[in-house]
Amino acid sequence: MSSLMEVAPSAFRLNAEHPFPGLRPFNEPDADWFFGRSAEINQLLKLLRRTRFIAVVGPSGCGKSSLIRAGLLPSIHDSYLDAQWSVALFRPGEAPLDNLAEAISKVLGGDAGKTRKQLDTGSMGLIEAIKERRLDSDRNVFLLVDQFEELFEFARRHGDRSQEEAKAFLKLLLTSAASDDVPFYLVITMRMEWLAECATYEGVAEAINQGIYLVPQMSRRQFQQTILAPVEMAGGSISTTLLDRMLNDLDGRSDQLPVLQHALMRLWITRDPGQPLDIPHYELVGTFSHSLSDHAEEVYKALAPEQQKIAETLFRSITQVYNNRKIRRPRLFKELAAIPGVDREQLQTVISAFAQQERSFLFISEGELGDLSVIDISHEALMRQWQRLSDWVDDEADLQGRVARLRQDAAEWAKAGGEDSALYRGYRLERAWALWAQTQGASSTWSIEWRQEWNTTLEFLRASRAAERRSLFWRRWVWVLPVLAAIVVWQFVAFQRAKQAGKQAEAYGQQAAKERDVAQAALQQLQRERQGQIQVLSKIQQDLRGSVAGPEVLGSIEKSITAQRIYMQYVGDDGLTLAKQVGVLLRNGGYAVPGYEKVAPNLSPSKSQVRFFHAEDKAGAGNIAGIVQGAVTGTVTAVQTADPNNVVPVGQFEVWLAQGTAAAQH
């Protein structure tokens, strides 16, 4: 993976035409335009005389990176400690040891692959690599690990292997900073909320306690200098009214520095040359409250519709929610270009649109944009200030959470041997199928991995659907039992009456021999009919009791039930009205319509259909299609559907009303 290092191109260096960096941090070439932190720079220089390890800690948006890059680094390069300095800077990213090896090799020379192998030799590996490449005896080595918390995020995301790499990375750094063998100085920048994580790694908390520097909040006077000095240095001016308004608006605001720098950049671009910056300019760019969001929205809306879709894919892929915080998730360009539906050239256009100098919403690692370029959010403030991006990040986090729960439930079902009790039913199953369809077209890079491990989950969903259909069938045909019971009662009463008639015939004796013969014949016939019906009923009852053994149980019911029945299937809440209208037409045509079922959109055909399950029902399905055709728009087709469980009786149909098929007059 490409190292997360930045060497700002000359076109991106601050100058009189562009005196404000926007969202990106100040870099060393911008030192002349960096104001308001002289006291903090002096404190860091004093601390660096006392210790070789400094942890610069503060909340997001307090200017940690700019303080080191544009404040401390230019000062040490000016022969600080009477030495020359080799400075390497990088971010841990998704490959801490690889990025460390590349950063060291870049400034000291040598092959990054060889350096990487030296790092694997043990805790002294970094010292040996520096010794081998440090040709100048009076040259000090300064290493800046920016956004150090990425190491902890990496360790949490990737399990045991990443934990071991994180520990090895920390041992290399701490051993080198504590060694007298080489003049090695280590500075890290880290968000304050990650301090507690340091205590879980051996030696880290102790080292931080010796060299921690908590970045203080800027005073009103410092903010004033941050605003005024670059404006005056660039040959401009600002009204006192606007200056006071801006200082008041900054008070207590979150993300003060990134919001301030971005708004100042916008003010400078939209100013009237020769005129002082004033309130109308400030309000034109949206003030501190909306400047960042309005500008990002402006860039987004200027894209073509297909580019807007790619922009959403891009930002969803390089952001995430972790421990209830919206954080960055840097990605290689080749990973983003591999997402289904993303055109490589269009992706380049979108990235360029958001990464231009006068916008700086995206960070691109050094060099030309290519497969190994790292694409990242320039500052996390963008996720908090741009409402559209904030919503995308929340939606993506919710989608990932739902997918994780579905995958877990599917895994537990498989582990339990496919227990029916673990399957989904009803609304929960419908939502799961909708989620499945959504993930198959998902635009985030995580969805690629998700689709590679879909077998168990898809099997789980199909088993849930089959179980629900079996359950639905029994709920539909539960009326069979009371009907059969009524037949038994009726036959029993008929038999008793016939028996009584026989007794009366016998009492008449010789009075009416012919009547007796007729009565006896009637009695025998009734007995035969009753016996045959009892045998049929007994067979059906035995099959019902054995229904748990398999779907073939319903064979006898299929032969015993001949009424033509039609089940209505519809999509959407408004589809029920149309289904009921069609049901009335079918009842008027002599069919039974026992039930209505709402189905998920992904299960509905694109055209309305009459589904039949046996070849002998084809003509009947055609007749039904003709009746339905009068109520809906579009073509209604008769389609034979497989019945894998062989449980649907002859004469049973399903009418599926596709979405948007309501006729204008219905």
Side-chain angles (χ1 to χ4, degrees), residues 171-234:
K171 285 183 180 179
L172 286 167
L173 295 183
L174 296 178
T175 301
S176 301
S179 173
D180 292 330
D181 290 348
V182 291
F184 176 81
Y185 292 79
L186 173 65
V187 174
I188 67 172
T189 66
M190 181 173 61
R191 292 202 308 268
M192 186 182 304
E193 59 267 26
W194 288 91
L195 270 176
E197 191 75 17
C198 298
T200 63
Y201 291 89
E202 182 180 357
V204 179
E206 292 82 356
I208 289 179
N209 287 337
Q210 295 297 317
I212 188 170
Y213 182 79
L214 186 60
V215 179
Q217 172 67 277
M218 291 181 69
S219 66
R220 185 180 179 92
R221 182 178 181 83
Q222 287 176 307
F223 276 124
Q224 180 176 327
Q225 188 179 8
T226 301
I227 298 170
L228 276 177
V231 170
E232 293 175 350
M233 187 172 171

Side-chain angles (χ1 to χ4, degrees), residues 143-154:
L143 180 66
L144 169 62
V145 186
D146 204 4
Q147 299 184 39
F148 190 74
E149 63 272 4
E150 288 183 355
L151 178 69
F152 303 134
E153 296 169 357
F154 163 76

Side-chain angles (χ1 to χ4, degrees), residues 98 258 427 546 562 575:
D98 289 347
Y427 178 70
T562 58

Side-chain angles (χ1 to χ4, degrees), residues 373-418:
S373 297
V374 178
I375 313 301
D376 192 11
I377 295 289
S378 57
H379 200 286
E380 290 177 358
L382 184 63
M383 289 182 277
R384 295 186 285 268
Q385 301 292 328
W386 185 17
Q387 187 58 51
R388 184 184 297 272
L389 176 55
S390 180
D391 292 341
W392 284 341
V393 178
D394 288 338
D395 289 345
E396 189 76 4
D398 176 68
L399 183 63
Q400 292 189 42
R402 291 169 57 201
V403 166
R405 289 191 294 273
L406 175 58
R407 294 176 67 181
Q408 181 179 358
D409 290 343
E412 291 178 355
W413 168 78
K415 187 177 180 181

Side-chain angles (χ1 to χ4, degrees), residues 498-544:
K499 184 177 180 181
Q500 184 65 29
K503 289 181 179 181
Q504 291 176 354
E506 290 177 355
Y508 287 123
Q510 300 300 323
Q511 296 179 3
K514 186 177 180 179
E515 292 178 2
R516 181 192 62 191
D517 292 339
V518 172
Q520 288 178 344
L523 175 61
Q524 291 172 358
Q525 179 62 28
L526 287 172
Q527 287 176 333
R528 286 193 298 270
E529 290 176 356
R530 174 184 175 279
Q531 186 62 36
Q533 290 169 342
I534 289 176
Q535 289 175 353
V536 171
L537 176 61
S538 176
K539 180 63 170 62
I540 293 175
Q541 289 173 330
Q542 289 175 4
D543 288 342
L544 289 172

